[in-house]
Amino acid sequence: MYDERKEVGDMDAVREHMLLRLEQMRLSGVEFFVDGREVLPAEAVSRAVRENSPYMADYVLDASGVIEQIRFDKVTRR
């Protein structure tokens, strides 16, 4: 039987985990962008972690292969 409360709880757990991870990354110098605008991790999570989210993460690496930016861009159909 479908339990909407469980699904909502699972999504909340995903958001919380992602927010903690992005906060850790921010402390190590990673920058976050949503649709080309620099944002804090909380805004990135609020846009990217939801059912049927139209956002995709693009990881930008420096010359040594370390993540320096994560860019969340809206994916649209053409």
Side-chain angles (χ1 to χ4, degrees):
M1 178 173 186
Y2 175 72
D3 185 353
E4 184 177 334
R5 289 172 298 170
K6 180 175 179 354
E7 186 174 309
V8 170
D10 291 346
M11 188 62 75
D12 288 342
V14 168
R15 275 190 200 94
E16 173 107 9
H17 176 76
M18 185 173 177
L19 180 58
L20 290 172
R21 182 68 181 118
L22 294 185
E23 286 289 355
Q24 291 171 339
M25 294 174 81
R26 185 174 79 86
L27 292 174
S28 68
V30 176
E31 298 172 312
F32 302 95
F33 294 83
V34 173
D35 294 327
R37 184 174 58 85
E38 189 167 8
V39 297
L40 294 173
E43 185 171 347
V45 169
S46 73
R47 299 267 189 116
V49 182
R50 50 186 156 163
E51 191 172 335
N52 299 319
S53 172
Y55 285 88
M56 182 176 74
D58 182 26
Y59 297 84
V60 179
L61 310 177
D62 67 12
S64 62
V66 175
I67 297 172
E68 63 181 14
Q69 294 179 359
I70 301 178
R71 296 180 162 272
F72 295 91
D73 295 305
K74 192 176 226 176
V75 178
T76 58
R77 294 182 186 167
R78 292 183 183 215

